[in-house]
Coordinates of all heavy atoms in Angstrom, one line a residue:
Chain B
F55 N 14.7 15.4 32.1 CA 13.5 16.0 32.7 C 12.5 14.9 33.2 O 11.8 15.2 34.1 CB 12.8 16.9 31.7 CG 12.0 16.2 30.7 CD1 10.6 16.1 30.9 CD2 12.6 15.7 29.5 CE1 9.8 15.4 29.9 CE2 11.8 15.0 28.6 CZ 10.4 14.9 28.8
D56 N 12.6 13.8 32.6 CA 11.6 12.7 32.9 C 12.3 11.5 33.6 O 11.7 10.5 33.8 CB 10.8 12.3 31.7 CG 11.7 11.7 30.6 OD1 12.9 11.9 30.7 OD2 11.1 11.2 29.6
A57 N 13.6 11.7 34.0 CA 14.3 10.6 34.6 C 13.8 10.4 36.1 O 13.3 11.3 36.7 CB 15.8 10.8 34.6
P58 N 14.0 9.2 36.6 CA 13.6 9.0 38.0 C 14.4 10.1 38.9 O 15.6 10.1 38.9 CB 14.1 7.6 38.4 CG 14.3 7.0 37.0 CD 14.6 8.0 36.0
P59 N 13.6 10.8 39.7 CA 14.3 11.9 40.6 C 15.3 11.3 41.5 O 15.1 10.1 42.0 CB 13.1 12.4 41.3 CG 11.9 12.1 40.5 CD 12.2 10.8 39.8
K60 N 16.3 12.0 41.7 CA 17.4 11.6 42.7 C 18.2 10.4 42.2 O 19.0 9.9 43.0 CB 16.9 11.4 44.1 CG 16.1 12.6 44.6 CD 16.3 12.6 46.2 CE 15.8 13.9 46.7 NZ 14.3 14.1 46.7
S61 N 17.9 9.8 41.1 CA 18.6 8.6 40.7 C 20.0 8.9 40.2 O 20.4 10.0 39.8 CB 17.8 7.9 39.5 OG 17.8 8.8 38.4
L62 N 20.8 7.8 40.2 CA 22.2 7.9 39.7 C 22.1 8.2 38.2 O 22.9 8.9 37.6 CB 22.9 6.6 40.0 CG 24.4 6.5 39.5 CD1 25.2 7.6 40.1 CD2 24.9 5.1 39.9
E63 N 21.1 7.6 37.6 CA 20.9 7.8 36.1 C 20.7 9.3 35.8 O 21.4 9.8 34.9 CB 19.6 7.0 35.7 CG 19.3 7.1 34.2 CD 18.1 6.3 33.8 OE1 17.4 5.8 34.6 OE2 18.0 6.1 32.5
L64 N 19.9 10.0 36.6 CA 19.7 11.4 36.4 C 21.0 12.2 36.5 O 21.3 13.0 35.7 CB 18.6 11.9 37.3 CG 18.4 13.4 37.3 CD1 17.9 13.9 35.9 CD2 17.3 13.9 38.4
R65 N 21.7 11.8 37.6 CA 22.9 12.5 37.9 C 23.9 12.4 36.7 O 24.5 13.3 36.2 CB 23.5 11.9 39.2 CG 24.9 12.4 39.5 CD 25.4 11.8 40.7 NE 26.8 12.1 40.8 CZ 27.5 11.9 42.0 NH1 26.9 11.5 43.1 NH2 28.8 12.2 42.0
C66 N 24.0 11.1 36.2 CA 25.0 10.9 35.1 C 24.5 11.5 33.8 O 25.3 12.0 33.0 CB 25.2 9.4 34.9 SG 26.0 8.6 36.3
M67 N 23.2 11.5 33.6 CA 22.6 12.2 32.4 C 22.9 13.6 32.4 O 23.4 14.2 31.4 CB 21.1 12.0 32.3 CG 20.7 10.6 31.9 SD 18.9 10.3 32.1 CE 18.3 11.1 30.6
K68 N 22.7 14.3 33.5 CA 22.9 15.7 33.6 C 24.4 16.1 33.4 O 24.8 17.0 32.6 CB 22.4 16.3 34.9 CG 20.8 16.3 34.9 CD 20.3 16.8 36.2 CE 20.2 18.3 36.3 NZ 19.4 18.7 37.4
A69 N 25.2 15.3 34.0 CA 26.7 15.5 33.9 C 27.1 15.2 32.4 O 27.9 15.9 31.8 CB 27.5 14.7 34.9
G70 N 26.6 14.1 31.9 CA 26.9 13.7 30.5 C 26.5 14.8 29.5 O 27.2 15.1 28.5
Y71 N 25.3 15.2 29.7 CA 24.7 16.3 28.8 C 25.6 17.5 28.8 O 26.0 18.0 27.8 CB 23.3 16.6 29.3 CG 22.5 17.6 28.6 CD1 21.6 17.3 27.6 CD2 22.7 19.0 28.9 CE1 20.8 18.2 27.0 CE2 22.0 20.0 28.2 CZ 21.0 19.6 27.3 OH 20.3 20.5 26.6
A72 N 25.9 17.9 30.0 CA 26.7 19.2 30.1 C 28.1 19.0 29.5 O 28.6 19.9 28.8 CB 26.9 19.6 31.6
E73 N 28.7 17.8 29.7 CA 30.1 17.6 29.2 C 30.0 17.5 27.7 O 30.9 18.0 27.0 CB 30.8 16.4 29.8 CG 32.2 16.3 29.4 CD 33.1 15.3 30.1 OE1 32.6 14.7 31.1 OE2 34.2 15.1 29.7
Y74 N 29.0 16.9 27.2 CA 28.9 16.8 25.7 C 28.9 18.2 25.1 O 29.6 18.5 24.1 CB 27.7 16.0 25.3 CG 27.5 15.9 23.8 CD1 28.2 14.9 23.1 CD2 26.8 16.8 23.0 CE1 28.2 14.8 21.7 CE2 26.8 16.8 21.6 CZ 27.4 15.7 21.0 OH 27.4 15.7 19.6
L75 N 28.1 19.1 25.7 CA 28.0 20.4 25.2 C 29.3 21.2 25.3 O 29.7 22.0 24.4 CB 26.9 21.3 25.9 CG 25.5 20.8 25.7 CD1 24.5 21.8 26.3 CD2 25.2 20.5 24.2
R76 N 30.1 20.8 26.3 CA 31.4 21.5 26.5 C 32.4 21.1 25.5 O 33.2 21.9 25.0 CB 31.9 21.2 27.9 CG 31.6 22.2 29.0 CD 32.5 22.1 30.2 NE 32.8 20.8 30.7 CZ 32.0 20.2 31.5 NH1 30.8 20.7 31.9 NH2 32.3 19.0 32.0
I77 N 32.4 19.8 25.2 CA 33.5 19.2 24.4 C 33.2 19.1 22.9 O 34.1 18.8 22.1 CB 34.1 17.9 24.9 CG1 33.0 16.8 24.7 CG2 34.5 18.0 26.4 CD1 33.5 15.4 25.1
R78 N 31.9 19.2 22.5 CA 31.5 18.7 21.2 C 32.2 19.4 20.1 O 32.6 18.9 19.0 CB 30.0 18.7 21.0 CG 29.5 20.1 21.0 CD 28.1 20.1 20.4 NE 27.6 21.5 20.2 CZ 27.7 22.1 19.0 NH1 28.1 21.4 18.0 NH2 27.3 23.3 18.9
Q79 N 32.4 20.7 20.2 CA 33.0 21.5 19.1 C 34.5 21.1 18.9 O 34.9 21.0 17.8 CB 32.9 23.0 19.3 CG 31.6 23.5 18.7 CD 31.0 24.7 19.4 OE1 31.3 25.0 20.6 NE2 30.3 25.5 18.7
K80 N 35.2 20.8 20.0 CA 36.6 20.4 19.9 C 36.7 19.0 19.2 O 37.7 18.7 18.7 CB 37.2 20.4 21.2 CG 37.4 21.8 21.8 CD 38.2 21.8 23.1 CE 37.9 23.0 23.9 NZ 37.8 22.8 25.3
L81 N 35.6 18.2 19.3 CA 35.7 16.9 18.7 C 34.9 16.9 17.3 O 34.7 15.9 16.7 CB 35.1 15.9 19.6 CG 35.9 15.6 20.9 CD1 35.2 14.7 21.8 CD2 37.3 15.0 20.5
N82 N 34.4 18.1 16.9 CA 33.6 18.2 15.7 C 32.4 17.4 15.7 O 32.0 16.8 14.7 CB 34.5 17.9 14.5 CG 33.8 18.4 13.2 OD1 33.1 19.4 13.2 ND2 34.1 17.8 12.1
L83 N 31.7 17.4 16.9 CA 30.4 16.6 17.0 C 29.2 17.6 16.8 O 29.3 18.7 17.3 CB 30.4 15.9 18.3 CG 31.5 14.8 18.5 CD1 31.5 14.3 19.9 CD2 31.3 13.7 17.5
P84 N 28.2 17.1 16.2 CA 27.0 18.0 16.0 C 26.1 18.1 17.1 O 26.1 17.3 18.1 CB 26.3 17.3 14.8 CG 26.6 15.8 15.1 CD 28.0 15.8 15.7
L85 N 25.3 19.1 17.1 CA 24.2 19.3 18.0 C 23.0 19.9 17.2 O 23.1 21.0 16.7 CB 24.5 20.3 19.1 CG 23.5 20.4 20.2 CD1 23.4 19.2 21.1 CD2 23.7 21.7 21.0
I86 N 21.9 19.2 17.1 CA 20.8 19.7 16.4 C 19.8 20.1 17.5 O 19.3 19.3 18.2 CB 20.1 18.7 15.4 CG1 21.0 18.5 14.2 CG2 18.8 19.2 14.9 CD1 21.9 17.4 14.3
E87 N 19.7 21.4 17.7 CA 18.9 22.0 18.8 C 17.4 21.8 18.5 O 16.8 22.8 18.1 CB 19.3 23.4 19.1 CG 20.8 23.5 19.5 CD 21.2 24.9 19.9 OE1 20.6 25.9 19.3 OE2 22.1 25.0 20.7
S88 N 16.9 20.6 18.7 CA 15.6 20.4 18.2 C 14.5 20.8 19.1 O 13.4 21.2 18.7 CB 15.4 18.9 17.9 OG 15.5 18.2 19.1

Side-chain angles (χ1 to χ4, degrees):
Chain B
F55 80 96
D56 58 352
K60 301 209 170 73
S61 61
L62 181 56
E63 181 175 13
L64 173 61
R65 170 180 171 166
C66 292
M67 285 170 79
K68 289 175 81 168
Y71 179 98
E73 187 169 352
Y74 181 84
L75 294 190
R76 266 200 314 278
I77 67 173
R78 68 163 190 98
Q79 271 154 332
K80 293 187 197 139
L81 294 174
N82 197 29
L83 296 171
L85 183 75
I86 289 94
E87 297 184 331
S88 66

